[in-house]
Amino acid sequence: MATNDTLIASISGIRGIVGGGLDPSVLVRYAGAFGTWCRERADSTEQPSGIVVGRDARSSGDACAQVVIGTLRGMGCDVMDLGMASTPTVEMAVLQEHAAGGIVISASHNPEEWNALKLLNEAGEFLTPAQGEAVIERAEGAEAAPAAHDALGEYRSRNALPEHIDEILALDLIDPERIAAQNLSVVVDGINSVGGVALPRLLHRLGVAEENVHCLHCEPTGTFAHPAEPRPDHLTELTAAVPEHGADLGLAVDPDVDRLALVDEQGRFLLEELTQVLAADFLWRHREGPFVTNLSSSRAIDDMAARHGQPVHRSAVGEINVVQRMKAVDAVLGGEGNGGVILPDLHHGRDALVGTAFVLQHLADTGQSLGALHDDLPHYAMAKDSLPLPDVAPDRLLASLGEEYDDDDLSTLDGLKINFDESWVHMRPSNTEPVLRVYAEAPTRSDAHALANRFRDELQEHVETLDAA
């Protein structure tokens, strides 16, 4: 990962604050490097060099998209512009268009002053670490060679959401008639981004009556109604609105709709770690096969797997790392504990729309309320903390701390994870922010916070020791 004070370049994309690091010249440099990389790969395989571009509703999105699209065309790449579209919709459109790659202009869960270029390869997946490094090296090296005046890329546009929804409804696991028979009522919090458009349309197609879809912040103005990450302290309006409307559940997504959070009929927020657990419980009732998640995800998925007699595999944090592991073990489902669900039958990307379809179908199949399903899930408490990236190299810092826990169950696949009998702590540099993340899980909330605080303090002590050395 390459970082400075204003820009982060990693496997999760190129992101920064608009006007404070992610500026037009940066967009041109990275979009040009990516376009050239795609064009050269397409030329070598005699495949089309088109690139799909979509964005969330951030106020900076349109301006960024115009710079990116113009740059790509200047590199000789044809562009399919989806306008405002979710990340999973762009990922699927790359496959539908047989494109050479895709760019999602979205900083996902970051605040609205941030934006990013999330880069996809020809499979509609985030770039592998090696691919990402190749694009970053190109962007930081020589200028990309533009196309001649008679070889500029062409421009087309379309709305890809209907086809995305069509493919979800075509899944053999999804039965809209059975869902419609439940007469469900749903509250949607779209945070004033693309989810406010996509989720209601999906719900209608799944059989939820129009009058039973209650919208909060569903106008795609890009002015976020609350902090972007779908966490309980950010979703108090939703947790109040669900029982007020007498609804069966509430749905919340992040600005680019790859994370899904749930609220039950009582107004209880389901820990975002449980979205993938609920999805796995649904799928494993229909089909067997491995599940893949990352090292920072809850042990609840392991407990659910044990109930169904199915294996769970762990990867480093980052969607592409989960995807690569899914392919290696032929997983039937994957996800991350941030509310991400990945169904390879559809595409290899986190998709809050397919997660929503799974939840509604699960309610229809079981005839149970979301609250009843939630109460039957394995439960742990998690604390998520962070500290600014220190001057000490993170690898050196975590190695120093790990030496004190040689006798424990350690993983250094991604930072440092220490497994204890009833708890664990995972410390790693973020892919999306200039911080060192400290995640801890334990049977109770107080134990989890105590564990996170303990290791945050221990990290700080090691920083001071290494600085003094």
Side-chain angles (χ1 to χ4, degrees):
M1 178 174 70
T3 65
N4 57 36
D5 292 338
T6 56
L7 197 70
I8 302 170
S10 74
I11 60 170
S12 296
I14 315 301
R15 68 182 64 205
I17 295 174
V18 175
L22 192 72
D23 304 320
S25 61
V26 172
L27 295 172
V28 169
R29 189 166 77 250
Y30 281 95
F34 179 68
T36 303
W37 180 79
C38 285
R39 190 186 66 206
E40 291 176 353
R41 281 164 54 87
D43 288 347
S44 67
T45 58
E46 298 183 352
Q47 296 296 314
S49 61
I51 296 177
V52 176
V53 178
R55 63 181 178 88
D56 69 18
R58 291 167 198 267
S59 58
S60 62
D62 182 55
C64 290
Q66 290 188 47
V67 173
V68 167
I69 290 170
T71 301
L72 292 173
R73 294 182 65 196
M75 293 299 114
C77 299
D78 296 337
V79 174
M80 171 57 73
D81 179 13
L82 304 186
M84 282 195 285
S86 73
T87 287
T89 301
V90 178
E91 291 171 340
M92 291 194 65
V94 170
L95 297 173
Q96 293 161 355
E97 295 287 333
H98 303 288
I103 297 180
V104 185
I105 302 171
S106 170
S108 190
H109 62 282
N110 291 91
E112 64 185 80
E113 65 268 23
W114 287 70
N115 217 324
L117 305 182
K118 297 166 69 172
L119 308 177
L120 309 173
N121 61 24
E122 71 280 1
E125 300 164 7
F126 285 113
L127 302 189
T128 67
Q131 291 172 341
E133 284 298 322
V135 173
I136 291 170
E137 287 177 7
R138 185 182 290 275
E140 295 175 349
E143 283 191 19
H149 74 93
D150 57 352
L152 300 176
E154 296 182 358
Y155 174 86
R156 294 182 297 136
S157 64
R158 73 177 178 95
N159 178 9
L161 177 61
E163 288 186 53
H164 185 175
I165 294 175
D166 285 345
E167 294 201 31
I168 291 173
L169 268 64
L171 294 168
D172 59 5
L173 297 169
I174 302 302
D175 184 351
E177 290 186 4
R178 192 166 187 177
I179 293 171
Q182 304 303 306
N183 194 32
L184 295 171
S185 176
V186 185
V187 182
V188 174
D189 184 339
I191 199 174
N192 289 335
S193 191
V194 293
V197 175
L199 277 177
R201 291 185 185 175
L202 171 70
L203 291 171
H204 299 329
R205 294 284 308 280
L206 285 171
V208 181
E210 188 169 348
E211 63 270 19
N212 285 347
V213 177
H214 310 282
C215 288
L216 285 176
H217 316 306
C218 288
E219 291 296 322
T221 63
T223 301
F224 298 161
H226 51 74
E229 196 165 4
R231 290 171 31 185
D233 51 328
H234 300 161
L235 297 173
T236 54
E237 285 184 87
L238 180 62
T239 54
V242 172
E244 284 174 3
H245 285 283
D248 296 286
L249 71 158
L251 305 172
V253 291
D254 60 343
D256 70 325
V257 201
D258 59 2
R259 300 183 180 197
L260 173 65
L262 303 166
V263 173
D264 76 6
E265 71 281 0
Q266 302 172 53
R268 295 184 300 175
F269 179 86
L270 276 63
L271 185 69
E272 62 269 30
E273 291 286 334
L274 294 177
T275 300
Q276 64 172 350
V277 182
L278 197 64
D281 183 35
F282 164 70
L283 185 69
W284 277 327
R285 295 185 189 210
H286 297 272
R287 139 183 343 163
E288 296 183 342
F291 187 97
V292 175
T293 191
N294 67 44
L295 286 171
S296 282
S297 293
S298 171
R299 285 180 178 174
I301 188 63
D302 301 277
D303 292 351
M304 181 57 71
R307 289 187 192 179
H308 289 278
Q310 302 300 318
V312 171
H313 301 269
R314 299 272 176 170
S315 76
V317 175
E319 183 175 311
I320 186 57
N321 295 319
V322 175
V323 166
Q324 288 183 314
R325 186 68 174 145
M326 288 177 68
K327 291 180 176 180
V329 302
D330 196 22
V332 295
L333 193 67
E336 295 189 282
N338 53 22
V341 174
I342 303 172
L343 179 67
D345 284 356
L346 196 66
H347 66 114
H348 277 98
R350 293 180 309 198
D351 191 332
L353 298 183
V354 77
T356 295
F358 270 27
V359 171
L360 266 63
Q361 191 68 56
H362 202 17
L363 295 176
D365 288 352
T366 61
Q368 292 183 278
S369 69
L370 182 57
L373 289 173
H374 170 251
D375 290 343
D376 188 49
L377 296 176
H379 289 277
Y380 294 88
M382 188 173 287
K384 298 183 179 183
D385 204 347
S386 62
L387 65 158
L389 275 179
D391 292 334
V392 177
D395 288 349
R396 183 182 174 211
L397 172 61
L398 296 174
S400 174
L401 178 60
E403 290 175 0
E404 294 188 14
Y405 293 90
D406 266 347
D407 294 333
D408 291 286
D409 179 8
L410 303 181
S411 171
T412 57
L413 175 64
D414 182 11
L416 175 65
K417 183 174 183 180
I418 307 173
N419 290 294
F420 304 107
D421 288 343
E422 297 186 346
S423 61
W424 56 261
V425 61
H426 188 200
M427 298 155 284
R428 51 175 290 277
S430 170
N431 292 326
T432 59
E433 298 176 70
V435 298
L436 193 69
R437 298 206 183 279
V438 182
Y439 287 4
E441 183 174 68
T444 69
R445 183 177 297 276
S446 60
D447 287 343
H449 281 282
L451 190 61
N453 290 338
R454 167 188 156 188
F455 276 91
R456 193 180 191 282
D457 291 344
E458 289 191 23
L459 283 168
Q460 193 58 51
E461 290 173 5
H462 278 261
V463 168
E464 294 168 2
T465 301
L466 292 171
D467 276 343

